[in-house]
Amino acid sequence: INAEYGGISETEILLPELLKQAGYRSKIIGKWHLGHRPQYLPLRHGFDEFFGSSNCHFGGDDVKTPNLPVFRNEKMIGRYYTNFTIEHGLSNLTVLFIQEALSFIESQAKAENPFFLYWTPDANHQPAYASQAFHGKSRRNSAYGDSVMEVDYGVGVLLNTLKQLEIEQNTLVFFSSDNGAEGIAKQSGGSNGPLLCGKQTTFEGGMREPGIAWWPGTIAPGKVTHQLGTTMDLLVTSAGLAGVPLPRDRIYDGMDLMPILTGETENIERPVFYYRGNEMFAVRVGRYKAHYWTWTHAHYHFCPGQYVKNVTTPDQTNCTAHPIVFNIERDPGEKYKIVKGSEYKAAMELITPYVEKHRQTMVPGEPELNYCDKMVMNWAPPGCEDIDYCLPVPAESSIRLCNWDH
């Protein structure tokens, strides 16, 4: 990515930066994905420790494309495939991520430090992998199924460790994902059940994810809430629990989930805006969701085996004049459009004021991934000289508009 773009802005204040004000020590383990150049790495944005990679475990050949580096804090300690092997769905990376998490939790508990652990294993991302203990063990008979089993096992190990250290009643654990399952992966990926489409879309299959909160003694087990939440809420919720005030020079889209999680409040009406790039594709308020644009991609077909007339459109379709509306509580699969009538009118009267206010106050930014430059790929990350694994950097810059055809 061009030197001026390609990562989290310096003006953003991330959760570990806020928590540092309350004495928290923070670590990220796994996938970062907010920029790979030195100025974008986790330790420059509030984290105290980092073990993992700046991106997914895509493979390269170290000639046309460098294999991605694995970092220990700010220095590369090896690369995927060459030093940290992934072959035929087999790798011990999740084992390493579990061990790193255990070591961090135990050390912070021993020191009686408040801590924030961001544990982001990416074994479920294509190409999926699992360690020998789980390889070929899932009933799905696929690397994806094996990877889910191992991540599930890892979560159990971490929760049991909190109990053994007797800090579980002072620790909030939240489990979620970054997007729905990838439909185009077919049997090599996950399932979104009855939800429409999957990753890369703004339909429910692409945007709705698991959200599981665990805090013995504070959050009642087995409780289900219909509150609409987003992962953006975790920053506001965590800052509130730590007693850290949010900066007042910016607008936060998140809200504090604790009144919902503890049962103090049943439901809070709020809008959630579904974007692709700088375009607002859909809006959800309560039970209603309005699609202002639709797209399933003519080439990639993000919704294999699913078809809803005039909804799963292969071309980008502007529905702004007459948004397509669904009652998500009644129809989570987005199969039955609400036809014009009293319910459609009521839904749009609920949603439209939120959209108008949003458009008046939203200032679009320029997408960080607009520009590509092969020169700034991971040829020679910090630390490569220590392990004699720096690759030749292209002699000339080749800045161009990126072609993200998906």
Side-chain angles (χ1 to χ4, degrees), residues 138-386:
S138 69
R139 293 190 63 174
R140 287 180 66 98
N141 192 30
S142 68
Y144 178 83
D146 300 343
S147 71
V148 171
M149 285 185 69
E150 185 159 31
V151 169
D152 177 64
Y153 164 80
V155 171
V157 169
L158 300 188
L159 297 185
N160 286 333
T161 299
L162 295 174
K163 293 177 184 177
Q164 291 166 5
L165 294 170
E166 298 182 348
I167 58 173
E168 79 278 11
Q169 295 199 3
N170 196 32
T171 306
L172 170 64
V173 179
F174 201 95
F175 178 89
S176 191
S177 180
D178 55 351
N179 47 251
E182 187 178 30
I184 58 175
K186 299 178 182 177
Q187 67 269 26
S188 297
S191 167
N192 294 312
L195 305 180
L196 186 62
C197 302
K199 179 180 176 179
Q200 307 284 9
T201 77
T202 50
F203 297 110
E204 291 297 280
M207 305 297 286
R208 187 185 292 204
E209 305 132 12
I212 304 171
W214 183 88
W215 189 352
T218 298
I219 299 174
K223 178 181 171 63
V224 176
T225 174
H226 294 281
Q227 173 66 47
L228 182 59
T230 81
T231 50
M232 291 183 289
D233 298 333
L234 299 182
L235 182 145
V236 180
T237 303
S238 301
L241 289 170
V244 177
L246 294 174
R248 303 181 67 177
D249 63 344
R250 62 200 65 211
I251 296 173
Y252 284 94
D253 293 300
M255 71 177 199
D256 188 349
L257 291 176
M258 285 310 297
I260 300 294
L261 297 176
T262 59
E264 178 185 333
T265 302
E266 186 173 335
N267 197 278
I268 300 171
E269 182 179 286
R270 53 92 68 93
V272 170
F273 304 96
Y274 298 64
Y275 271 79
R276 273 194 70 98
N278 274 355
E279 193 64 58
M280 187 191 75
F281 265 52
V283 181
R284 170 96 184 266
V285 181
R287 69 187 63 184
Y288 294 111
K289 181 178 177 184
H291 290 272
Y292 290 75
W293 286 78
T294 57
W295 189 38
T296 63
H297 207 293
H299 174 67
Y300 287 100
H301 306 297
F302 296 138
C303 313
Q306 294 179 301
Y307 171 75
V308 180
K309 187 176 180 180
N310 297 327
V311 175
T312 52
T313 56
D315 299 314
Q316 294 191 38
T317 303
N318 189 343
C319 314
T320 303
H322 300 286
I324 298 170
V325 177
F326 294 98
N327 182 323
I328 297 299
E329 290 187 1
R330 185 174 66 217
D331 175 27
E334 297 172 289
K335 293 179 172 60
Y336 309 105
K337 293 180 288 184
I338 298 175
V339 296
K340 299 298 191 317
S342 59
E343 187 177 15
Y344 183 91
K345 181 181 178 182
M348 291 309 300
E349 286 177 350
L350 174 67
I351 293 173
T352 300
Y354 286 111
V355 172
E356 290 176 348
K357 181 180 179 181
H358 178 69
R359 285 178 167 158
Q360 289 169 3
T361 57
M362 168 61 77
V363 180
E366 186 169 7
E368 288 289 325
L369 302 183
N370 268 3
Y371 298 98
C372 290
D373 185 353
K374 196 168 184 178
M375 177 182 275
V376 299
M377 295 175 74
N378 286 294
W379 303 106
C384 68
E385 62 282 352
D386 296 342

Side-chain angles (χ1 to χ4, degrees), residues 25-47:
R25 188 167 181 85
S26 301
K27 182 167 185 170
I28 172 175
I29 299 171
K31 174 184 170 183
W32 168 237
H33 220 182
L34 288 178
H36 70 269
R37 308 197 75 198
Q39 66 268 34
Y40 301 128
L41 291 176
L43 269 61
R44 304 288 182 94
H45 294 274
F47 283 96

